[in-house]
């Protein structure tokens, strides 16, 4: 029987470059993650908003992934 892997949404981005950098840092530390691109939406004024990118990580890696994200945010 296959083992079920649960992914937890951990962080939202509005900048694709930021998501690429953090995804690479996760890979360096062997943390599986998934980035989903949510469709752009119209704002209440009718303007297009940037698409939201959501990063999810395996349930057992949440704390390690949070440390990586916190470190990346501190370093800009």
């Amino acid at each position: 029987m296959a083992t079920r892997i649960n992914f937890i949404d951990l962080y939202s981005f509005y900048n694709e470059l930021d998501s690429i950098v953090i995804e690479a840092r996760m890979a360096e530390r062997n943390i599986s993650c998934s980035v989903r691109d949510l469709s752009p939406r119209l704002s209440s004024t009718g303007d297009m908003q940037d698409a939201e990118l959501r990063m999810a990580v395996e349930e057992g890696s949440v704390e390690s992934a949070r440390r990586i994200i916190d470190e990346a945010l501190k370093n800009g």
Side-chain angles (χ1 to χ4, degrees):
M1 179 188 279
T3 302
R4 184 176 177 167
I5 299 173
N6 291 322
F7 277 80
I8 306 294
D9 282 340
L10 187 63
Y11 198 75
S12 292
F13 301 90
Y14 292 93
N15 180 315
E16 187 174 3
L17 182 58
D18 289 346
S19 72
I20 291 168
V21 169
I22 293 178
E23 188 173 14
R25 289 186 180 181
M26 298 284 185
E28 289 170 2
R29 292 178 175 96
N30 295 320
I31 296 175
S32 295
C33 67
S34 171
V35 177
R36 295 187 323 273
D37 184 358
L38 304 178
S39 299
R41 291 176 265 163
L42 290 175
S43 70
S44 59
T45 61
D47 297 327
M48 290 296 285
Q49 296 177 331
D50 291 333
E52 179 182 358
L53 302 165
R54 284 195 190 160
M55 179 175 282
V57 299
E58 287 185 41
E59 190 172 29
S61 300
V62 169
E63 290 307 315
S64 297
R66 276 195 181 127
R67 285 192 293 273
I68 291 168
I69 292 170
D70 288 344
E71 179 184 301
L73 292 173
K74 285 181 192 175
N75 294 329

